[in-house]
Amino acid sequence: MEFTVFRVLGQRFRLRTTVTALAAGALLTAGCSSSDESPGEAAGGVPVVEVGKLTTCTHLPYPPFQFERDGKVVGFDVALIDLVAKKLGVEQKVLDTPFENFKTGAFLNSGECDLAAAGMTITDERKKNVDFSVPYFDATQALLVGGKSGVRTLAEVKERKKKLGAQAGTTGESYAKGQGFDPVAFESSDAVLNGLRTGQVDAVVTDYPVVQEWLKDKAVADAFVLGQNIDTGEQYGISVKKGNDKLRAAVDRAIMDARADGTYDKLYEQWIGPLPQGRS
Ligand code: GLN
């Protein structure tokens, strides 16, 4: 696993110049291959965009699925994709990209990344642009409210005309819109939490596992409470470029093997918490 974070198209994109220079160098050495060809091939003939790597597009931070700790990108999704990389005999490299990218599949289509992992829900709309792995995580939506806001449910948020926030382009935002809200849109999960902290909004709708992670922080738990846990029945998937069946099959295999041999449960306990009751 390579830990350097490359941020693409963000304000924070250190090392971008180096990457471009390296890429240009690689093209020259390769004698300019056509843009459609994959530069590399991993075990089992799986195409990869960079020789020896499995390049993951994500959107940071999204704890506990992907976040930076001591300068490294770690988390449940990162650990899961490491399993795929290991089977393919390559190393994972993580790129931080705009969230919008996950819907359009732009960075998969342009050959910037092999796959996207971002605590991302499988939706019919996204399926039009990307192919998804088998589901690897069941999620719900959580309503997090200020402890003293006097509201605990979406109905009360509406009734009392409180301000609601969500992360732009997420299923949480769509859910809120579907309930008749026009939520304040934040660019990332930390901006969502910050919006709540600074009083820009009184409540936010975000994936429950993320809220659960936030609440492990005493300062957050002292100020905010979980108002509602809403069962939207959503499931996370890893996306690949449309038609990249070889890589999709490799991801599916890694997920299914991890579920069968106990690795999945170990990673769940390590990154998320105790396994849900009724499961081993
Ligand atoms: N699961 C949500 C979605 O897919 C949020 C993902 C995220 O913010 N990284 O929209």
Side-chain angles (χ1 to χ4, degrees), residues 39-102:
E41 213 175 81
V46 173
V48 287
V49 299
E50 186 182 334
V51 180
K53 307 278 182 219
L54 184 63
T55 310
T56 302
C57 268
T58 196
H59 184 63
L60 295 170
Y62 208 61
F65 300 99
Q66 44 268 315
F67 57 101
E68 281 174 276
R69 193 164 64 191
D70 304 328
K72 299 172 181 178
V73 181
V74 295
F76 184 79
D77 287 358
V78 181
L80 210 57
I81 303 300
D82 270 347
L83 300 176
V84 181
K86 196 168 167 204
K87 277 186 197 280
L88 296 177
V90 292
E91 284 207 335
Q92 180 180 189
K93 174 172 130 184
V94 182
L95 297 186
D96 186 17
T97 61
F99 191 75
E100 177 64 15
N101 175 42
F102 301 110

Side-chain angles (χ1 to χ4, degrees), residues 62 99 118-121 126 167 169-171 207 234 236:
Y62 208 61
F99 191 75
M120 182 185 16
T121 305
R126 292 170 184 170
Q167 188 185 320
T170 61
T171 46
D207 290 18
E234 55 196 277
Y236 294 167

